[in-house]
Amino acid sequence: MIHLDVHSLTQPVGIVRLMAIIFTCISFSLVASVGYFPSSFWAWCMFTWCFCFFFTLLIVILEVTTLSTKLPFAWDDFTTAFALLASLMCLTACVIYPTFFTCNICYRQIGASLVACACSVLYVLEVSLTRRRPSGQIRGFLTTWPGIMKMLETFFACLIFTSLEKSQYANTPELQWCVAVYSLCFILAMLIILLTVGQVTSLLPFFEKIVIVYDILAAVMYMTAMVIWPLYSFRNNRRPIHCGYLCSWDKLGMVTFMTILNFCVYIVDSVYSIWLVFCFSRE
């Protein structure tokens, strides 16, 4: 039986979510009022605020109507994981947007940047509150270290895709290999997350060992991309003298930096998963 649970809105987590809804709405409204800017970074920021607004509103509606109790997955795990992802997305947006799209007299852009910073603080606060609930320790996949690392892997891949331009790799097979690595690892990481959250891993024999093999292969593939991408993208390609903000050359550096970060995450993920399956399970 579905009933309204208005009490959920008066809890600290509910109040934080309501504030996040308001602040994300203000952010994308201010940016939209300035007008469209043809940049993947601008699109990423707008997507971040719209995505966070929509899903936070959806979470509030599901909790108020108690529909969240009817869903076939761990609700607390999902909401905590979303808050963690939203905090990362809003943090990058509040760094990217003021860096590339504001000026000293751009008051609406400055306002959007300040509100975006407040959004990231709110989502960090939500993560802290949900993990301290008295119901006990959260045991869902997304709030464990393997789940968090899987989210980081997909998050860094999204930032790589945001910085990619077809002209960067269209005529270079070596760079096309790097793009294939980013795409394949992103798809498989998302598939692992969906299978685990959907609680169908029990139907797949040796799933944990398959994930370990994937993590090791992904780390090796990212290692090749970490070497190949800067080697071929910066070869005979110095930064142009008149390269200002949103320069294509800077995006090459962004891809390189995110590739290194994601390689490190895959290494940590592989080592931790091996220890968890082969060492910790025997204790």
Side-chain angles (χ1 to χ4, degrees):
M1 185 67 180
I2 298 174
H3 65 277
L4 294 180
D5 182 17
V6 184
H7 181 67
S8 63
L9 297 178
T10 61
Q11 298 297 313
V13 175
I15 295 173
V16 169
R17 286 173 180 160
L18 290 176
M19 293 179 63
I21 292 172
I22 296 171
F23 280 34
T24 51
C25 182
I26 293 173
S27 294
F28 70 72
S29 298
L30 285 172
V31 174
S33 67
V34 177
Y36 170 74
F37 195 92
S39 166
S40 58
F41 287 160
W42 185 91
W44 168 261
C45 295
M46 280 295 286
F47 169 77
T48 293
W49 297 318
C50 293
F51 173 83
C52 294
F53 169 80
F54 173 78
F55 274 96
T56 306
L57 180 61
L58 180 63
I59 287 171
V60 169
I61 292 174
L62 290 176
E63 288 206 340
V64 170
T65 59
T66 65
L67 285 172
S68 58
T69 59
K70 311 295 182 181
L71 298 176
F73 53 83
W75 178 250
D76 287 346
D77 179 46
F78 169 76
T79 54
T80 304
F82 166 75
L84 176 61
L85 178 62
S87 63
L88 290 173
M89 294 175 67
C90 288
L91 181 61
T92 57
C94 75
V95 172
I96 291 174
Y97 190 80
T99 301
F100 296 111
F101 304 105
T102 62
C103 60
N104 293 331
I105 58 174
C106 303
Y107 301 114
R108 281 179 290 182
Q109 291 93 322
I110 293 174
S113 302
L114 293 175
V115 176
C117 293
C119 289
S120 62
V121 173
L122 287 172
Y123 282 115
V124 170
L125 180 59
E126 182 182 346
V127 172
S128 176
L129 290 173
T130 52
R131 292 189 68 88
R132 292 179 181 178
R133 282 177 174 173
S135 57
Q137 185 178 1
I138 299 171
R139 297 180 180 178
F141 171 73
L142 294 178
T143 48
T144 61
W145 281 113
I148 291 173
M149 284 184 280
K150 281 288 175 288
M151 287 195 299
L152 285 175
E153 290 159 8
T154 56
F155 174 71
F156 288 143
C158 287
L159 292 181
I160 290 174
F161 295 142
T162 304
S163 304
L164 285 175
E165 295 180 357
K166 188 175 181 180
S167 59
Q168 296 170 342
Y169 58 85
N171 300 318
T172 309
E174 293 82 3
L175 297 182
Q176 291 174 3
W177 159 257
C178 296
V179 176
V181 169
Y182 304 143
S183 303
L184 181 62
C185 292
F186 172 77
I187 293 172
L188 292 178
M190 283 298 301
L191 181 61
I192 291 172
I193 291 174
L194 293 175
L195 289 175
T196 309
V197 172
Q199 299 178 351
V200 297
T201 57
S202 59
L203 304 176
L204 302 173
F206 310 111
F207 179 77
E208 293 180 343
K209 294 180 175 61
I210 293 173
V211 171
I212 291 176
V213 172
Y214 157 72
D215 287 336
I216 295 173
L217 289 176
V220 173
M221 293 169 67
Y222 256 90
M223 182 174 64
T224 63
M226 184 178 64
V227 175
I228 292 174
W229 182 267
L231 182 64
Y232 284 89
S233 60
F234 293 115
R235 185 175 61 180
N236 299 324
N237 182 23
R238 293 185 177 181
R239 193 177 193 274
I241 299 177
H242 302 290
C243 183
Y245 288 120
L246 298 176
C247 179
S248 297
W249 193 93
D250 292 336
K251 291 184 178 180
L252 296 175
M254 179 74 165
V255 174
T256 301
F257 180 66
M258 289 301 160
T259 301
I260 296 172
L261 281 182
N262 225 5
F263 168 71
C264 294
V265 174
Y266 273 108
I267 288 293
V268 174
D269 193 7
S270 301
V271 173
Y272 185 81
S273 298
I274 292 172
W275 175 79
L276 199 63
V277 172
F278 294 103
C279 299
F280 181 76
S281 59
R282 294 179 181 177
E283 295 179 359

